[in-house]
């Protein structure tokens, strides 16, 4: 199977997935890394791994639709089985999401449905939750929603700051996203008719 990974910045989740594919832990090929900016450190790293990279400066487009059209055209050059959003900081139009329905995946740094949107770690600390984490889910037109594929849970510690909590969650992201990528590559992840996720071989 072939993945295209979309990033906006450092792309540490992308790097974890690329490394899982290179080590053979995940039987898939990362055909391209596409960024929502002309240049990002994640693109430089991916290019160093011999992966095709495309930088689309969203600021260069007159509308969200125009950006999404260019993004879709870039993605379709590689004909991927799955499109993985990894630290991708753009809201995608419903038309784009529908185009990739069932094969568009995202990771969000909270235990959805808790804390959608930004600043999830500050939200978690402000709310006083004792468990926090990250969620890998199918993307639907509703932001930070969509059928949940996997979640990773981390404790909130009494002296946590948004930064220390973010680092603990990010480390967990680097565990569960490659795990999901491996399941996707094995063709084990299915969306049921009632929009639930079924993973073959996982009871
Ligand atoms: C991080 O905040 C992560 O929690 C979220 O996106 C941001 C950047 O991730 N998924 P990455 O290092 O670019 O993968």
């Amino acid at each position: 199977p072939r993945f295209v990974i979309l990033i906006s910045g450092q792309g540490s989740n992308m790097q974890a997935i690329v490394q899982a594919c290179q080590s053979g832990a995940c039987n898939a090929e990362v055909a391209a890394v596409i960024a929502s900016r002309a240049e990002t450190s994640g693109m430089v790293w991916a290019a160093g791994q011999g992966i095709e990279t495309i930088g689309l400066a969203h600021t260069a487009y007159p509308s969200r639709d125009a950006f999404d059209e260019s993004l879709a055209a870039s993605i379709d050059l590689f004909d991927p089985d799955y499109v993985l959003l990894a630290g991708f900081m753009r809201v995608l139009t419903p038309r784009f999401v529908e185009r990739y329905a069932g094969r568009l995946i995202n990771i969000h740094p909270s235990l959805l449905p808790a804390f959608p949107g930004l600043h999830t770690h500050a939200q978690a600390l402000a709310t006083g939750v004792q468990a926090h984490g990250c969620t890998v889910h199918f993307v639907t037109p509703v932001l930070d929603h969509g059928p949940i594929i996997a979640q990773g849970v981390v404790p909130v510690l009494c002296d946590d700051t948004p930064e220390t909590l973010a680092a603990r969650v990010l480390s967990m992201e680097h565990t569960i996203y490659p795990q999901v990528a491996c399941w996707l590559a094995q063709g084990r992840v299915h969306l049921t008719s009632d929009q639930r996720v079924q993973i073959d071989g996982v009871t």
Side-chain angles (χ1 to χ4, degrees):
R2 245 193 329 280
F3 297 150
V4 165
I5 304 180
L6 306 189
I7 66 170
S8 292
Q10 61 173 349
S12 69
N13 275 287
M14 172 272 293
Q15 296 182 29
I17 294 168
V18 166
Q19 284 164 347
C21 294
Q22 287 174 339
S23 72
C26 171
N27 175 27
E29 174 206 359
V30 177
V33 170
I34 301 176
S36 61
R37 291 162 42 190
E39 270 295 317
T40 70
S41 55
M43 279 170 65
V44 173
W45 183 89
Q49 302 295 313
I51 297 171
E52 291 249 19
T53 60
I54 298 176
L56 301 175
H58 66 84
T59 48
Y61 292 87
S63 70
R64 212 174 272 283
D65 259 327
F67 173 76
D68 282 8
E69 262 181 51
S70 175
L71 181 60
S74 302
I75 290 168
D76 292 348
L77 292 173
F78 303 95
D79 186 26
D81 298 284
Y82 292 100
V83 179
L84 308 182
L85 306 179
F88 189 70
M89 304 307 277
R90 299 285 301 162
V91 174
L92 294 162
T93 57
R95 193 161 123 225
F96 178 96
V97 171
E98 289 311 323
R99 182 187 182 84
Y100 297 102
R103 57 188 178 120
L104 185 60
I105 317 278
N106 183 44
I107 189 163
H108 179 78
S110 79
L111 295 177
L112 291 175
F115 314 131
L118 298 173
H119 313 303
T120 60
H121 313 299
Q123 288 187 60
L125 291 171
T127 313
V129 296
Q130 296 181 353
H132 186 42
C134 47
T135 302
V136 180
H137 63 97
F138 282 104
V139 175
T140 63
V142 177
L143 186 67
D144 295 336
H145 189 72
I148 291 171
I149 302 170
Q151 293 189 307
V153 183
V154 302
V156 180
L157 306 180
C158 56
D159 56 351
D160 264 331
T161 64
E163 292 70 31
T164 58
L165 188 51
R168 192 171 311 121
V169 170
L170 192 60
S171 172
M172 176 57 77
E173 292 180 41
H174 298 164
T175 296
I176 68 161
Y177 215 171
Q179 175 64 70
V180 168
C182 172
W183 290 338
L184 292 169
Q186 293 172 321
R188 291 169 55 185
V189 183
H190 308 287
L191 258 184
T192 63
S193 51
D194 62 348
Q195 293 302 295
R196 302 296 295 272
V197 176
Q198 175 189 313
I199 299 170
D200 296 342
V202 174
T203 50

